[in-house]
Amino acid sequence: GPSNPYDLKRFSGGSSSGSAVAVATGMVPVAIGYDGGGSIRIPAAWSGTVGLAVGFSRFPFQNKNVNINPSVKSGPLAANVEDAAEAFLLLGQPFSRQGDGGGAVHPYTALYGGVGPPPPHLHPRWLNINGSEENKVEGGVNGVHRRQPIRIGVFQEWVSHRPTGTGGGNTILDDAVYKTFQKTIQALTTISATDTNTDDGGGESSTPYATLVNFTMPHMSLQALSHAIIVTCSFSFSLLKENFRGLNNRETDDPSDTLQPATEFQLRIGHHITATELLSAMRIRSFAMAQWRNVLAEKVDVILTPTLPMTALVRPNGSDKIGFSDTSLGFQMMRYIWPGNLIGLPGIAVPVGVDSKGLPLSVQVLCLHWHEADCLAVGREIEKMFVDERAKPPPEFFVDLLE
């Protein structure tokens, strides 16, 4: 992918990094990405943009020419949360759920007896573009409408992880990610919600915007491994079926017809995963679905994590020509990413500051299936809190198309 706009010697993220860099450098306000193992959220985090990876099939993109991948979803990368919300409402319009007259019908429409998924919408807490609030809670007494605090779930053991380091000259010992994450939690749980129709004419209430709810999750390592098995098998099968000549034939004069050796190596790993291993991963996936849904449906409204446990890494010498493969590093990078792809939880990456090197820092909001509006609402609140601390690309790498 392209170089990181904050440091040309560093990676800009995953396979949607072109979209992330285009947004980060001002070339476009919104771009589309695809996310099978964080390829929207990772580039967004490392490139200082917003990345919304919606739930499975919220934006259907499969057709007769595109294989269905059990780990991939699409979504917008945007300059800010409001732009991501606009793209979310547009890309999820009803025509993609009910059919366009030419036979294109959302897969869930047929699956659930003609009833498609719920239409895209924004949370009642959302502040719309003209500045009026739409966050009144029904059932208020004497015209008083108060927000209920959002329950933000945090798995402390999971998010307090410090990476041990990687190859390629990268040493990951900076606590900036974790400190900024804790700062985000403190900000969300100490600010007060605003009453919009109180009997004294409005003002600040004593109700906090959010409350912290600690939760735990069993067998996290097995769940992460299951995602790795499923996504590796899926991509290996998809590229083989689509007959990428570079996967089986290196004898070509056109570099565009070949995969980089590191990419080819990773895909070939999928050919050696057995059907029994894949079936076991699918069974763990079913277990994970029930466990995460129990947390999000019963205990919390959203889950908050760092997007990544490290900032953008330095590219090893020669990686632009032969690629770069480091399975251990991949697992570390996807530490907070994989629930979005193993079981399809929507997630949004939001920039919240910079580390000591001026590299972007980001937090992730995960929510229940079909509840992207919750991710957007909390993401926008976070964005407002840290707007002055957000990383800004060097002027030489930013284009203002309005000037």
Side-chain angles (χ1 to χ4, degrees), residues 26-250:
M27 297 172 64
V28 294
V30 178
I32 302 299
Y34 292 89
D35 192 310
S39 293
I40 289 175
R41 292 160 289 162
I42 292 174
W46 279 1
S47 301
T49 67
V50 172
L52 173 64
V54 298
F56 284 158
S57 286
R58 168 58 87 179
F59 303 155
F61 56 87
Q62 299 91 351
N63 56 51
K64 64 181 180 180
N65 298 316
V66 178
N67 294 310
I68 294 177
N69 188 306
S71 298
V72 174
K73 57 258 196 80
S74 57
L77 293 104
N80 52 63
V81 177
E82 191 166 284
D83 287 351
E86 293 285 1
F88 165 69
L89 293 175
L90 177 63
L91 294 171
Q93 283 299 303
F95 72 85
S96 64
R97 304 195 321 275
Q98 302 299 337
D100 58 5
V105 178
H106 192 290
Y108 282 21
T109 300
L111 186 63
Y112 293 113
V115 179
H121 62 281
L122 297 182
H123 197 284
R125 296 171 187 263
W126 190 264
L127 300 177
N128 63 23
I129 295 175
N130 64 21
S132 62
E133 292 203 19
E134 299 174 349
N135 62 354
K136 295 180 180 180
V137 179
E138 295 298 328
V141 179
N142 296 326
V144 178
H145 300 269
R146 297 183 183 275
R147 288 175 170 175
Q148 295 297 317
I150 289 179
R151 299 169 299 170
I152 293 181
V154 174
F155 184 0
Q156 294 290 351
E157 183 180 349
W158 188 32
V159 301
S160 61
H161 168 76
R162 308 303 207 272
T164 57
T166 69
N170 291 295
T171 302
I172 313 170
L173 299 174
D174 192 348
D175 280 344
V177 169
Y178 187 65
K179 290 179 179 177
T180 302
F181 173 71
Q182 291 295 336
K183 182 178 178 180
T184 305
I185 293 176
Q186 183 178 14
L188 287 168
T189 55
T190 55
I191 65 167
S192 296
T194 303
D195 292 336
T196 61
N197 188 24
T198 60
D199 50 7
D200 60 359
E204 295 294 322
S205 77
S206 59
T207 304
Y209 176 81
T211 58
L212 177 64
V213 178
N214 292 312
F215 73 94
T216 59
M217 180 66 59
H219 305 302
M220 293 285 281
S221 296
L222 285 176
Q223 292 185 48
L225 178 60
S226 297
H227 165 253
I229 290 173
I230 292 169
V231 72
T232 301
C233 284
S234 299
F235 277 108
S236 296
F237 174 78
S238 296
L239 291 181
L240 181 62
K241 186 174 181 180
E242 293 172 15
N243 195 26
F244 273 60
R245 281 191 290 166
L247 191 60
N248 296 305
N249 181 14
R250 306 283 303 172

